[in-house]
Amino acid sequence: MINIHATAIVIGRTGLLFTGPSGWGKSMTAFTCMAEARRQGVSSVLVADDQVFLSKQGGAITAACPPAIAGLIELRGTGIVKHDHIDRAEMHFAILPASATGENRLPADGETVLLAEGFELPVLRLLPNLPLPLAVLMAKAPEIGS
């Protein structure tokens, strides 16, 4: 098991792991995706925010939450709020920030990220502070929310 700085959520049956540099908006973007899913009538739950325990089970990457922060998510500038949560879930995609400077306007198809030795996930990229991040993710990966 490894501990990484990330936010893990589930939209429908799809696990999304928001990771990347501090300050890009992992928690707020994940929260916005969960709110957007609920408006669409799609289930959404928090797995973990800030600290995520990753393990491998049967070849799948599973995210789990440290008990002390279960059901809590920090919304920068607002504070820590409670949210519906589950203890663990399989992760299917890593969500990383896209470049706002025009570099790599079209990320490579099949991009993956190595989170730690043996922990690799396919990548979906988002610009920070998008108003409808889930819509963008669903356009790239239609299985999200199903």
Side-chain angles (χ1 to χ4, degrees), residues 57-133:
Q57 297 177 345
I61 296 175
T62 300
C65 186
I69 60 172
L72 302 176
I73 185 167
E74 181 185 357
L75 304 178
R76 190 173 295 229
T78 299
I80 297 172
V81 298
K82 292 182 180 182
H83 199 284
D84 293 341
H85 70 283
I86 55 176
D87 292 332
R88 66 183 62 251
E90 183 178 344
M91 294 291 105
H92 300 96
F93 294 100
I95 312 303
L96 294 170
S99 171
T101 64
E103 290 178 40
N104 303 322
R105 282 182 55 189
L106 298 174
D109 284 336
E111 181 183 13
T112 62
V113 63
L114 185 63
L115 302 160
E117 187 63 38
F119 291 85
E120 187 171 10
L121 284 172
V123 169
L124 297 174
R125 292 201 176 261
L126 283 176
L127 286 172
N129 303 313
L130 285 176
L132 298 170

